[in-house]
Amino acid sequence: MNLQKLGSDALAIIRANIKLFLLNVISFWRINYHPLIRFKSHINITVDTNSRISIGNGTLIAANSSLSATDGGQLTLGNMIGINRNSMIICHNCISIGDNTIMGPNVCIYDHDHLFTSKRGVIRNDYKTSAVHIGKNCWIGAGTTILRGSIINDNCIIGAGCVIKGTYPSGSIIIQKRNEIIYNRL
């Protein structure tokens, strides 16, 4: 391992520990984390009353990513999770991600939808929620969106750009083909 990489990793560990310690003080100790985790720059973490975030050993969160647990949500990241650049994990109920799962950039995981009625449209700050579970040793491709109620069992691969909702058995390879072209003629 070269010295530059070692220095970069040490800085990422220090950055994560300082940020999480300060967030814990402000949030009255609602974040549980292992000290050997790494944060790159511009990580946004939000945790409110009755919510909890747990981050396992060896987890890496890359630049410009966000973690949020609100409305009593429980966000649990296992050991050795890799969250790539510009990813968002937004929890209002329960999201759990198993050990050794890695994600490409721009992955979004949500355990909620905004409520919508035909009379009022989107209802702000009112959600329909259901838990999301992602198993161990999964690989989630770039630009994937995982929606509420999804269960992705162990050892799954999700191709880039997928929109996921449902239950997938262990060992699944999930891809979505898009052959339809939609356009409006002017």
Side-chain angles (χ1 to χ4, degrees):
M1 179 180 280
N2 69 33
L3 237 40
Q4 186 175 7
K5 170 84 170 115
L6 188 60
S8 174
D9 283 347
L11 180 61
I13 290 169
I14 293 166
R15 180 185 295 121
N17 279 274
I18 290 171
K19 183 172 191 91
L20 289 172
F21 176 79
L22 293 173
L23 279 170
N24 259 337
V25 169
I26 293 167
S27 71
F28 301 103
W29 307 102
R30 292 187 183 100
I31 303 171
N32 180 33
Y33 63 95
H34 191 281
L36 291 179
I37 59 176
R38 295 168 290 159
F39 285 1
K40 299 299 180 179
S41 60
H42 308 294
I43 305 301
N44 182 32
I45 298 177
T46 305
V47 59
D48 73 2
T49 306
N50 299 323
S51 299
R52 298 279 184 263
I53 295 176
S54 178
I55 304 172
N57 181 27
T59 293
L60 169 64
I61 303 175
N64 303 315
S65 293
S66 296
L67 302 178
S68 176
T70 59
D71 300 326
Q74 306 294 311
L75 173 57
T76 304
L77 305 177
N79 297 320
M80 302 303 291
I81 302 294
I83 300 171
N84 214 320
R85 299 174 78 74
N86 305 314
S87 294
M88 294 189 338
I89 303 174
I90 311 298
C91 177
H92 290 267
N93 178 336
C94 178
I95 297 175
S96 65
I97 302 174
D99 296 346
N100 301 310
T101 290
I102 60 172
M103 302 172 201
N106 304 304
V107 169
C108 297
I109 303 172
Y110 305 103
D111 66 353
H112 62 284
D113 293 332
H114 284 277
L115 288 180
F116 177 88
T117 66
S118 58
K119 289 182 180 179
R120 292 182 53 204
V122 174
I123 302 170
R124 289 185 185 265
N125 300 320
D126 206 356
Y127 306 98
K128 184 174 187 178
T129 66
S130 50
V132 171
H133 170 75
I134 300 170
K136 297 177 182 177
N137 305 310
C138 292
W139 177 17
I140 302 170
T144 294
T145 299
I146 299 175
L147 302 173
R148 72 175 176 84
S150 295
I151 300 172
I152 300 161
N153 286 291
D154 297 345
N155 306 312
C156 288
I157 297 172
I158 301 173
C162 287
V163 177
I164 301 295
K165 184 171 175 75
T167 301
Y168 301 88
S170 293
S172 294
I173 299 174
I174 306 158
I175 60 168
Q176 292 176 342
K177 292 187 177 184
R178 292 177 183 86
N179 296 335
E180 185 176 359
I181 299 172
I182 300 172
Y183 65 94
N184 291 324
R185 184 174 271 169
L186 297 177

mmCIF file of all heavy atoms in Angstrom, residues 129-156:
data_model
loop_
_atom_site.group_PDB
_atom_site.id
_atom_site.type_symbol
_atom_site.label_atom_id
_atom_site.label_comp_id
_atom_site.label_asym_id
_atom_site.label_seq_id
_atom_site.Cartn_x
_atom_site.Cartn_y
_atom_site.Cartn_z
ATOM 1 N N THR A 129 -44.941 4.230 4.388
ATOM 2 C CA THR A 129 -43.628 3.615 4.576
ATOM 3 C C THR A 129 -43.727 2.100 4.653
ATOM 4 O O THR A 129 -44.751 1.549 5.044
ATOM 5 C CB THR A 129 -42.956 4.107 5.876
ATOM 6 O OG1 THR A 129 -43.706 3.639 6.995
ATOM 7 C CG2 THR A 129 -42.838 5.618 5.915
ATOM 8 N N SER A 130 -42.666 1.437 4.278
ATOM 9 C CA SER A 130 -42.458 0.016 4.546
ATOM 10 C C SER A 130 -40.967 -0.264 4.439
ATOM 11 O O SER A 130 -40.244 0.370 3.665
ATOM 12 C CB SER A 130 -43.290 -0.877 3.621
ATOM 13 O OG SER A 130 -43.137 -0.524 2.282
ATOM 14 N N ALA A 131 -40.517 -1.201 5.243
ATOM 15 C CA ALA A 131 -39.088 -1.460 5.416
ATOM 16 C C ALA A 131 -38.414 -1.924 4.130
ATOM 17 O O ALA A 131 -39.026 -2.563 3.277
ATOM 18 C CB ALA A 131 -38.886 -2.499 6.512
ATOM 19 N N VAL A 132 -37.120 -1.596 4.028
ATOM 20 C CA VAL A 132 -36.259 -2.078 2.947
ATOM 21 C C VAL A 132 -35.166 -2.924 3.583
ATOM 22 O O VAL A 132 -34.526 -2.495 4.556
ATOM 23 C CB VAL A 132 -35.627 -0.897 2.171
ATOM 24 C CG1 VAL A 132 -34.555 -1.387 1.200
ATOM 25 C CG2 VAL A 132 -36.692 -0.105 1.443
ATOM 26 N N HIS A 133 -34.966 -4.111 3.040
ATOM 27 C CA HIS A 133 -33.893 -4.992 3.527
ATOM 28 C C HIS A 133 -33.018 -5.373 2.341
ATOM 29 O O HIS A 133 -33.521 -5.869 1.329
ATOM 30 C CB HIS A 133 -34.458 -6.250 4.180
ATOM 31 C CG HIS A 133 -33.412 -7.270 4.482
ATOM 32 N ND1 HIS A 133 -32.529 -7.133 5.540
ATOM 33 C CD2 HIS A 133 -33.047 -8.401 3.837
ATOM 34 C CE1 HIS A 133 -31.694 -8.162 5.530
ATOM 35 N NE2 HIS A 133 -31.990 -8.946 4.511
ATOM 36 N N ILE A 134 -31.729 -5.131 2.467
ATOM 37 C CA ILE A 134 -30.744 -5.538 1.466
ATOM 38 C C ILE A 134 -29.779 -6.476 2.174
ATOM 39 O O ILE A 134 -29.214 -6.128 3.210
ATOM 40 C CB ILE A 134 -30.006 -4.326 0.876
ATOM 41 C CG1 ILE A 134 -31.025 -3.383 0.214
ATOM 42 C CG2 ILE A 134 -28.937 -4.776 -0.125
ATOM 43 C CD1 ILE A 134 -30.467 -2.037 -0.194
ATOM 44 N N GLY A 135 -29.599 -7.662 1.627
ATOM 45 C CA GLY A 135 -28.800 -8.694 2.281
ATOM 46 C C GLY A 135 -27.302 -8.468 2.193
ATOM 47 O O GLY A 135 -26.818 -7.410 1.784
ATOM 48 N N LYS A 136 -26.570 -9.496 2.552
ATOM 49 C CA LYS A 136 -25.104 -9.472 2.550
ATOM 50 C C LYS A 136 -24.577 -9.718 1.139
ATOM 51 O O LYS A 136 -25.213 -10.381 0.323
ATOM 52 C CB LYS A 136 -24.566 -10.564 3.464
ATOM 53 C CG LYS A 136 -24.938 -10.389 4.911
ATOM 54 C CD LYS A 136 -24.427 -11.559 5.738
ATOM 55 C CE LYS A 136 -24.844 -11.408 7.182
ATOM 56 N NZ LYS A 136 -24.425 -12.550 7.980
ATOM 57 N N ASN A 137 -23.381 -9.194 0.890
ATOM 58 C CA ASN A 137 -22.623 -9.476 -0.331
ATOM 59 C C ASN A 137 -23.369 -9.114 -1.610
ATOM 60 O O ASN A 137 -23.267 -9.822 -2.607
ATOM 61 C CB ASN A 137 -22.218 -10.960 -0.383
ATOM 62 C CG ASN A 137 -21.459 -11.380 0.844
ATOM 63 O OD1 ASN A 137 -20.504 -10.720 1.248
ATOM 64 N ND2 ASN A 137 -21.903 -12.446 1.474
ATOM 65 N N CYS A 138 -24.108 -8.025 -1.593
ATOM 66 C CA CYS A 138 -24.820 -7.570 -2.790
ATOM 67 C C CYS A 138 -23.999 -6.512 -3.507
ATOM 68 O O CYS A 138 -23.205 -5.808 -2.898
ATOM 69 C CB CYS A 138 -26.189 -7.009 -2.414
ATOM 70 S SG CYS A 138 -27.327 -8.256 -1.800
ATOM 71 N N TRP A 139 -24.232 -6.405 -4.790
ATOM 72 C CA TRP A 139 -23.593 -5.399 -5.620
ATOM 73 C C TRP A 139 -24.704 -4.625 -6.299
ATOM 74 O O TRP A 139 -25.490 -5.186 -7.066
ATOM 75 C CB TRP A 139 -22.677 -6.059 -6.625
ATOM 76 C CG TRP A 139 -22.004 -5.140 -7.594
ATOM 77 C CD1 TRP A 139 -21.854 -3.794 -7.501
ATOM 78 C CD2 TRP A 139 -21.391 -5.519 -8.821
ATOM 79 N NE1 TRP A 139 -21.175 -3.304 -8.589
ATOM 80 C CE2 TRP A 139 -20.877 -4.345 -9.413
ATOM 81 C CE3 TRP A 139 -21.213 -6.733 -9.454
ATOM 82 C CZ2 TRP A 139 -20.208 -4.371 -10.630
ATOM 83 C CZ3 TRP A 139 -20.544 -6.751 -10.665
ATOM 84 C CH2 TRP A 139 -20.044 -5.577 -11.242
ATOM 85 N N ILE A 140 -24.785 -3.330 -6.017
ATOM 86 C CA ILE A 140 -25.847 -2.473 -6.533
ATOM 87 C C ILE A 140 -25.217 -1.505 -7.525
ATOM 88 O O ILE A 140 -24.396 -0.667 -7.164
ATOM 89 C CB ILE A 140 -26.554 -1.721 -5.384
ATOM 90 C CG1 ILE A 140 -27.118 -2.738 -4.377
ATOM 91 C CG2 ILE A 140 -27.642 -0.812 -5.924
ATOM 92 C CD1 ILE A 140 -27.613 -2.126 -3.089
ATOM 93 N N GLY A 141 -25.621 -1.621 -8.794
ATOM 94 C CA GLY A 141 -25.015 -0.838 -9.870
ATOM 95 C C GLY A 141 -25.354 0.643 -9.815
ATOM 96 O O GLY A 141 -26.332 1.070 -9.186
ATOM 97 N N ALA A 142 -24.572 1.430 -10.516
ATOM 98 C CA ALA A 142 -24.704 2.887 -10.556
ATOM 99 C C ALA A 142 -26.103 3.308 -10.993
ATOM 100 O O ALA A 142 -26.706 2.695 -11.862
ATOM 101 C CB ALA A 142 -23.677 3.474 -11.513
ATOM 102 N N GLY A 143 -26.600 4.360 -10.350
ATOM 103 C CA GLY A 143 -27.869 4.940 -10.750
ATOM 104 C C GLY A 143 -29.095 4.127 -10.397
ATOM 105 O O GLY A 143 -30.184 4.397 -10.891
ATOM 106 N N THR A 144 -28.961 3.145 -9.538
ATOM 107 C CA THR A 144 -30.094 2.316 -9.124
ATOM 108 C C THR A 144 -30.924 3.046 -8.071
ATOM 109 O O THR A 144 -30.381 3.729 -7.211
ATOM 110 C CB THR A 144 -29.596 0.963 -8.557
ATOM 111 O OG1 THR A 144 -28.981 0.239 -9.618
ATOM 112 C CG2 THR A 144 -30.710 0.144 -7.953
ATOM 113 N N THR A 145 -32.245 2.868 -8.136
ATOM 114 C CA THR A 145 -33.148 3.385 -7.119
ATOM 115 C C THR A 145 -33.895 2.198 -6.515
ATOM 116 O O THR A 145 -34.489 1.401 -7.243
ATOM 117 C CB THR A 145 -34.158 4.384 -7.721
ATOM 118 O OG1 THR A 145 -33.426 5.489 -8.273
ATOM 119 C CG2 THR A 145 -35.118 4.899 -6.663
ATOM 120 N N ILE A 146 -33.842 2.072 -5.197
ATOM 121 C CA ILE A 146 -34.529 0.993 -4.482
ATOM 122 C C ILE A 146 -35.656 1.626 -3.683
ATOM 123 O O ILE A 146 -35.423 2.524 -2.872
ATOM 124 C CB ILE A 146 -33.545 0.219 -3.585
ATOM 125 C CG1 ILE A 146 -32.448 -0.407 -4.461
ATOM 126 C CG2 ILE A 146 -34.290 -0.833 -2.763
ATOM 127 C CD1 ILE A 146 -31.343 -1.091 -3.704
ATOM 128 N N LEU A 147 -36.880 1.151 -3.923
ATOM 129 C CA LEU A 147 -38.077 1.756 -3.356
ATOM 130 C C LEU A 147 -38.591 0.991 -2.148
ATOM 131 O O LEU A 147 -38.218 -0.158 -1.906
ATOM 132 C CB LEU A 147 -39.160 1.827 -4.432
ATOM 133 C CG LEU A 147 -38.771 2.618 -5.692
ATOM 134 C CD1 LEU A 147 -39.848 2.485 -6.755
ATOM 135 C CD2 LEU A 147 -38.503 4.069 -5.361
ATOM 136 N N ARG A 148 -39.507 1.625 -1.425
ATOM 137 C CA ARG A 148 -40.039 1.082 -0.172
ATOM 138 C C ARG A 148 -40.589 -0.324 -0.361
ATOM 139 O O ARG A 148 -41.102 -0.680 -1.412
ATOM 140 C CB ARG A 148 -41.106 2.001 0.404
ATOM 141 C CG ARG A 148 -42.402 1.994 -0.348
ATOM 142 C CD ARG A 148 -43.449 2.857 0.372
ATOM 143 N NE ARG A 148 -44.651 2.908 -0.410
ATOM 144 C CZ ARG A 148 -45.601 1.977 -0.378
ATOM 145 N NH1 ARG A 148 -45.488 0.941 0.416
ATOM 146 N NH2 ARG A 148 -46.665 2.085 -1.145
ATOM 147 N N GLY A 149 -40.433 -1.114 0.691
ATOM 148 C CA GLY A 149 -40.955 -2.471 0.695
ATOM 149 C C GLY A 149 -40.088 -3.492 -0.014
ATOM 150 O O GLY A 149 -40.442 -4.661 -0.079
ATOM 151 N N SER A 150 -38.945 -3.091 -0.533
ATOM 152 C CA SER A 150 -38.092 -4.021 -1.281
ATOM 153 C C SER A 150 -37.298 -4.913 -0.336
ATOM 154 O O SER A 150 -36.809 -4.459 0.698
ATOM 155 C CB SER A 150 -37.132 -3.252 -2.191
ATOM 156 O OG SER A 150 -37.845 -2.564 -3.174
ATOM 157 N N ILE A 151 -37.191 -6.181 -0.721
ATOM 158 C CA ILE A 151 -36.360 -7.145 -0.004
ATOM 159 C C ILE A 151 -35.426 -7.774 -1.025
ATOM 160 O O ILE A 151 -35.871 -8.463 -1.946
ATOM 161 C CB ILE A 151 -37.206 -8.231 0.694
ATOM 162 C CG1 ILE A 151 -38.149 -7.588 1.714
ATOM 163 C CG2 ILE A 151 -36.301 -9.279 1.350
ATOM 164 C CD1 ILE A 151 -39.161 -8.545 2.310
ATOM 165 N N ILE A 152 -34.151 -7.493 -0.863
ATOM 166 C CA ILE A 152 -33.123 -8.029 -1.749
ATOM 167 C C ILE A 152 -32.282 -8.944 -0.879
ATOM 168 O O ILE A 152 -31.596 -8.480 0.033
ATOM 169 C CB ILE A 152 -32.286 -6.889 -2.359
ATOM 170 C CG1 ILE A 152 -33.197 -5.950 -3.157
ATOM 171 C CG2 ILE A 152 -31.171 -7.450 -3.228
ATOM 172 C CD1 ILE A 152 -32.609 -4.602 -3.422
ATOM 173 N N ASN A 153 -32.364 -10.235 -1.119
ATOM 174 C CA ASN A 153 -31.664 -11.197 -0.271
ATOM 175 C C ASN A 153 -30.175 -11.255 -0.612
ATOM 176 O O ASN A 153 -29.695 -10.541 -1.485
ATOM 177 C CB ASN A 153 -32.350 -12.556 -0.367
ATOM 178 C CG ASN A 153 -33.673 -12.555 0.391
ATOM 179 O OD1 ASN A 153 -33.679 -12.488 1.606
ATOM 180 N ND2 ASN A 153 -34.780 -12.574 -0.337
ATOM 181 N N ASP A 154 -29.437 -12.106 0.083
ATOM 182 C CA ASP A 154 -27.979 -12.181 -0.014
ATOM 183 C C ASP A 154 -27.495 -12.479 -1.434
ATOM 184 O O ASP A 154 -28.181 -13.148 -2.220
ATOM 185 C CB ASP A 154 -27.439 -13.265 0.917
ATOM 186 C CG ASP A 154 -27.710 -12.983 2.382
ATOM 187 O OD1 ASP A 154 -28.056 -11.839 2.719
ATOM 188 O OD2 ASP A 154 -27.571 -13.925 3.189
ATOM 189 N N ASN A 155 -26.291 -11.993 -1.730
ATOM 190 C CA ASN A 155 -25.543 -12.345 -2.942
ATOM 191 C C ASN A 155 -26.249 -11.962 -4.238
ATOM 192 O O ASN A 155 -26.155 -12.675 -5.231
ATOM 193 C CB ASN A 155 -25.221 -13.842 -2.945
ATOM 194 C CG ASN A 155 -24.518 -14.270 -1.685
ATOM 195 O OD1 ASN A 155 -23.555 -13.639 -1.257
ATOM 196 N ND2 ASN A 155 -25.011 -15.320 -1.057
ATOM 197 N N CYS A 156 -26.942 -10.839 -4.253
ATOM 198 C CA CYS A 156 -27.628 -10.375 -5.460
ATOM 199 C C CYS A 156 -26.789 -9.322 -6.188
ATOM 200 O O CYS A 156 -26.029 -8.590 -5.566
ATOM 201 C CB CYS A 156 -28.988 -9.773 -5.113
ATOM 202 S SG CYS A 156 -30.209 -11.003 -4.611
#
